[in-house]
Amino acid sequence: MTGNQAETFSLPDVVPDVVWLDSVESTNEYLASQSAPSSLRAALSWNQSAGRGRLGRAWISPAGKSLALSLELGPELIPDEPSESWRGALPLITGAQLVAALESMCDKVSLKWPNDVLIDGKKVAGILGQIPAPRRVIIGVGINVWLADSELPTPESTSLVLQGMTDASQLHKAIGELITQLVTTLQSMRQDGVPEDVWGKIRGVVSTLGREARVIFPDGQEVVGTATDLDDCGRLIVCDHSGESHTVSAADVQHLRPV
Ligand code: BTN
């Protein structure tokens, strides 16, 4: 392990506007509170005190140990009329690109539907997409980087350093790859919707597919069954034990066992 790990680093030139915040409540909220950007911009911090998670939850990250990265897409990356398919694909694409970027340093990286990046079955990163106003799109990524065992928010979590990352430069490279690949993919979707090969890449990393899973809806109801596919808006299709098919758009998923 090298140096003081919680350091700033450069992002690829495709992000013309980058701000590193010494501390912030939420990088997503920080960007949302600014006026709309004219092109892609990023806010990052190693010290996020009130991070927002999915389904109204908090994202807890001890100071200096977890990276908060938010990207606000500029008009050059947002279709004139974003379809439901585009909106549904966006966090999944971000997750798939993050999986690909982390695979350069760790084994057994996958995406648990919809937005949890796992290493060896444990959560290392979460993604939160927000549309704070029409034609504004923010994608937030929280990555557990330097957390020791005793600092993990839950027993189902992990961190990059616990999974074998040895050097901060590996993370810097992975974030650069994430952003570069994400921008390239979004450029390809600016006019033509979500290409089939993009769905293919997403399906290829979603470890929920083909598994027995418990789906827990926000109202507490549950469905247990086999996750068979994603639809063209990124919703999870789950076939329960009576053969009924459920299309799931917002829920928590627990992986039970491979089928
Ligand atoms: C989740 O797993 O529930 C999603 C967590 C998303 C956390 C990130 S950290 C950067 C950005 N800013 C926030 O307030 N939330 C996202």
Side-chain angles (χ1 to χ4, degrees):
M1 203 182 301
T2 57
N4 176 16
Q5 300 94 354
E7 58 194 355
T8 63
F9 51 92
S10 302
L11 300 194
D13 291 343
V14 288
V15 197
D17 181 359
V18 178
V19 56
W20 277 94
L21 301 158
D22 287 341
S23 65
V24 66
E25 289 192 351
S26 156
T27 50
N28 268 25
E29 294 308 317
Y30 172 84
L31 288 180
S33 71
Q34 311 290 304
S35 52
S38 54
S39 59
L40 180 64
R41 77 173 163 199
L44 301 95
S45 184
W46 285 103
N47 189 6
Q48 180 178 252
S49 57
R52 296 179 53 145
R54 285 182 61 241
L55 305 175
R57 299 195 187 109
W59 171 261
I60 297 169
S61 39
K65 302 293 176 83
S66 185
L67 180 67
L69 159 68
S70 295
L71 295 170
E72 178 159 7
L73 306 188
E76 77 281 16
L77 295 177
I78 304 176
D80 292 337
E81 292 181 22
S83 63
E84 207 181 335
S85 177
W86 186 88
R87 284 185 270 123
L90 191 59
L92 291 165
I93 291 167
T94 309
Q97 302 292 9
L98 183 56
V99 168
L102 295 182
E103 275 175 335
S104 62
M105 67 174 100
C106 298
D107 293 330
K108 299 185 185 170
V109 192
S110 72
L111 186 63
K112 179 163 78 80
W113 186 92
N115 296 146
D116 291 351
V117 175
L118 308 181
I119 300 180
D120 203 8
K122 294 191 163 188
K123 179 167 176 171
V124 73
I127 294 158
L128 180 69
Q130 289 183 267
I131 299 187
R135 305 212 49 74
R136 292 193 64 182
V137 178
I138 295 171
I139 307 165
V141 180
I143 307 175
N144 295 334
V145 180
W146 300 113
L147 289 80
D149 253 325
S150 59
E151 296 169 314
L152 296 172
T154 69
E156 294 79 34
S157 312
T158 190
S159 68
L160 291 179
V161 72
L162 289 171
Q163 294 294 330
M165 187 185 75
T166 53
D167 193 310
S169 65
Q170 294 177 289
L171 172 73
H172 305 168
K173 189 163 168 266
I175 297 295
E177 280 168 16
L178 163 69
I179 292 172
T180 305
Q181 295 304 322
L182 186 60
V183 168
T184 304
T185 305
L186 292 177
Q187 281 166 342
S188 78
M189 290 163 47
R190 174 76 177 71
Q191 302 295 343
D192 302 316
V194 187
E196 218 19 75
D197 69 305
V198 171
W199 284 118
K201 279 190 187 133
I202 293 169
R203 286 189 177 92
V205 299
V206 174
S207 50
T208 312
L209 295 178
R211 290 188 84 110
E212 187 85 344
R214 173 177 288 112
V215 178
I216 306 158
F217 294 95
D219 66 1
Q221 297 215 48
E222 294 188 5
V223 167
V224 174
T226 305
T228 55
D229 203 359
L230 302 175
D231 75 3
D232 63 359
C233 293
R235 295 175 289 221
L236 187 68
I237 312 294
V238 177
C239 186
D240 72 19
H241 296 147
S242 67
E244 190 181 344
S245 182
H246 304 259
T247 302
V248 181
S249 52
D252 284 317
V253 165
Q254 291 172 352
H255 287 172
L256 298 178
R257 58 183 173 272
V259 179

